[in-house]
Amino acid sequence: MPAAKLTEWSGYLMADADQAVVDALPLGENGGVVGLVRQGGVPVAGAVVVPEMDSSTAAIRYLNEDGMGFNTDGTSSNGVFILLNPAIAEKFTAQLDGNPIGLVGTAGSAKMAVFALIFNG
């Protein structure tokens, strides 16, 4: 992931109303996970990433259709999402219309690193 893209996305996320999101920025310096939901190699619109733990403190945001911001609703046609503040080895699923897409994914985060999580259906 290019550093310039992480900086751009961090700028969009700085406007988030959730202070926990803002406190987890900038991407890379404070960790983070960049993810993709796809089926048959094609990004999936309308997918939602769900933590398996009810007590999860992870913040999940989805890249908008125009790539110029993030939302909390679900993936756009680019299938991209960001996870901030996941627990160590925290498990997530991607769902479309309440049905799992692909296998359970495990995420974690560390300062000065960005991890990837791809759900393949």
Side-chain angles (χ1 to χ4, degrees):
M1 171 104 318
K5 186 56 72 176
L6 295 177
T7 299
E8 176 186 345
W9 287 356
S10 291
Y12 299 148
L13 290 163
M14 286 298 282
D16 198 289
D18 185 346
Q19 190 62 44
V21 169
V22 174
D23 290 346
L25 299 172
L27 290 168
E29 279 185 44
N30 283 327
V33 177
V34 175
L36 177 64
V37 180
R38 63 186 179 190
Q39 284 185 312
V42 178
V44 174
V48 176
V49 177
V50 180
E52 287 201 335
M53 293 187 322
D54 290 336
S55 61
S56 177
T57 59
I60 305 162
R61 298 296 184 267
Y62 307 94
L63 186 63
N64 291 345
E65 189 67 38
D66 64 5
M68 303 293 289
F70 288 85
N71 68 67
T72 58
D73 302 328
T75 57
S76 64
S77 65
N78 57 42
V80 174
F81 64 92
I82 299 289
L83 284 173
L84 299 166
N85 202 33
I88 296 172
E90 185 170 357
K91 296 188 183 313
F92 295 85
T93 59
Q95 298 179 0
L96 184 61
D97 299 324
N99 298 309
I101 298 172
L103 302 173
V104 171
T106 303
S109 187
K111 291 192 180 290
M112 303 310 292
V114 173
F115 294 89
L117 177 58
I118 300 174
F119 291 99
N120 286 304

